Amino acid sequence: MVSFASIQLPPPPHHQHHHHHTLVSAHLHQTTMYQPNRFKDFPRMSSISSNARPIHSGGSSLASVAPLEAILFDIDGTLCDSDPLHFYAFRDMLQEIGFNGGTPITEEFFIKNISGKHNEELREILLPDWEIQRSRKFLEDKEALFRRLASEQLQPMKGLQKLCKWIEDRGLRRAAVTNAPRSNAELLISMLGLSDFFEILVLASECDRVKPFPDPYLKALQELDISHKHAFVFEDSVSGIKAGMGAGMPVVGLGTRNPEQLLIEAGAVFVIADFDDPKLWTELEEMEIKAEATTTTK
């Protein structure tokens, strides 16, 4: 993992600022460089292993929330493998404005400093010397490029349809909770065919604080009228895991792109490769067994 402190990232040259709008416009009309095969070739940064030691040895890591009433989902990197598209958009647009001396950002830099963060936080990290409106416009243009790429190449997380059916069959409540802008969130949910699946969509930007603070997840629980004692979260980023934990819920990590150890250190109860992962279904089955046993003894 490349550390942020070890990378020299001079502020973008001011004389290049006025070029980025033209360059972004060109990107939106020229997507030939973003071929589906490049999307698939984006390396998996995690190291999911079936031999990984369980985080909790005393039964199911999700047993504490039985009987389960709700599941809350992050969107980017959780419902779909969208991080490669965010990476491509950031990499090329930052290079065009001379970020890091014009050297393209690496996947490691993206994972450590960009993935899962809100755009207002990214303004301070990536463009601290820019005027606020200019940096916000840059990030809006980046999101427009991302949506163009997503509309062409987005794929659901493996096993998502199976999990959604399991949730619907049990009548569980569900919410999507994201740091992403509304336009991104609604596009991804629609493209995944989940517009009718989610009862509510919570945008971090409409809360007092964004992830990694717990506010977005606390708002979701409040709107669902569900206790944190009977819900858990799916997240793929460190900031998301911290937010879910801060709201009092266990968080299952998606090791789609972020290294497994990073997610465990953030507090994930366990990490899965995708929604087909046998580890997840074993945990869900054990949780249901506990819920049935609890009901029987009452």
Side-chain angles (χ1 to χ4, degrees):
M1 184 67 63
V2 180
S3 70
F4 185 47
S6 68
I7 301 179
Q8 298 299 313
L9 296 172
H14 290 286
H15 70 276
Q16 296 190 36
H17 290 178
H18 66 281
H19 290 305
H20 96 266
H21 300 302
T22 303
L23 291 164
V24 169
S25 178
H27 267 305
L28 292 174
H29 294 286
Q30 297 178 359
T31 58
T32 53
M33 67 182 297
Y34 299 102
Q35 298 294 333
N37 63 319
R38 285 190 65 192
F39 176 68
K40 294 175 182 176
D41 290 344
F42 188 85
R44 183 177 291 271
M45 302 303 296
S46 59
S47 55
I48 300 296
S49 169
S50 58
N51 297 320
R53 289 179 297 173
I55 308 306
H56 296 281
S57 56
S60 171
S61 302
L62 297 177
S64 63
V65 300
L68 181 65
E69 296 178 6
I71 300 180
L72 285 63
F73 292 81
D74 172 51
I75 299 178
D76 275 299
T78 299
L79 295 177
C80 50
D81 188 11
S82 51
D83 261 8
L85 303 185
H86 284 290
F87 170 71
Y88 293 150
F90 270 115
R91 180 193 63 190
D92 290 356
M93 287 184 61
L94 287 172
Q95 184 179 13
E96 286 166 354
I97 61 169
F99 184 83
N100 194 27
T103 302
I105 63 170
T106 62
E107 292 138 17
E108 290 81 4
F109 177 86
F110 174 83
I111 288 170
K112 186 172 181 59
N113 301 291
I114 297 177
S115 179
K117 291 183 171 61
H118 189 271
N119 275 351
E120 284 300 297
E121 186 178 2
L122 291 176
R123 281 198 313 102
E124 298 297 326
I125 294 173
L126 302 174
L127 307 167
D129 295 338
W130 283 35
E131 295 173 357
I132 292 177
Q133 292 307 315
R134 178 175 285 160
S135 59
R136 283 178 177 166
K137 181 64 168 66
F138 177 89
L139 290 168
E140 287 172 5
D141 290 342
K142 175 263 159 183
E143 300 301 355
L145 176 55
F146 166 77
R147 288 191 294 275
R148 174 66 174 265
L149 299 175
S151 68
E152 298 170 349
Q153 303 180 22
L154 191 72
Q155 295 294 324
M157 190 65 65
K158 186 180 177 184
L160 178 62
Q161 185 176 1
K162 174 184 176 183
L163 178 61
C164 289
K165 185 178 187 306
W166 184 89
I167 292 170
E168 289 175 329
D169 287 347
R170 284 153 184 78
L172 300 176
R173 311 293 300 279
R174 52 268 192 184
V177 182
T178 182
N179 266 359
R182 178 177 292 279
S183 51
N184 286 25
E186 291 181 344
L187 172 67
L188 298 190
I189 288 175
S190 174
M191 288 187 63
L192 294 169
L194 298 176
S195 297
D196 294 330
F197 175 77
F198 287 111
E199 297 175 65
I200 61 171
L201 167 63
V202 175
L203 303 172
S205 58
E206 296 179 358
C207 301
D208 290 337
R209 299 176 300 181
V210 302
K211 304 175 188 178
F213 292 100
D215 303 40
Y217 280 111
L218 290 172
K219 181 178 180 181
L221 289 171
Q222 182 180 26
E223 292 193 12
L224 290 173
D225 193 24
I226 295 290
S227 167
H228 65 88
K229 296 179 181 179
H230 299 291
F232 73 90
V233 175
F234 284 112
E235 271 280 2
D236 76 304
S237 70
V238 168
S239 65
I241 290 170
K242 290 180 176 178
M245 286 182 57
M249 292 176 286
V251 182
V252 176
L254 269 293
T256 322
R257 301 297 174 185
N258 294 321
E260 180 179 9
Q261 191 58 37
L262 195 67
L263 303 183
I264 290 174
E265 289 172 358
V269 290
F270 59 90
V271 177
I272 57 177
D274 51 48
F275 296 124
D276 270 344
D277 197 315
K279 170 70 172 174
L280 171 63
W281 294 97
T282 298
E283 293 279 349
L284 293 177
E285 182 180 356
E286 290 181 8
M287 181 177 57
E288 287 197 302
I289 291 173
K290 180 184 177 181
E292 291 171 5
T294 303
T295 304
T296 303
T297 57
K298 284 185 177 179

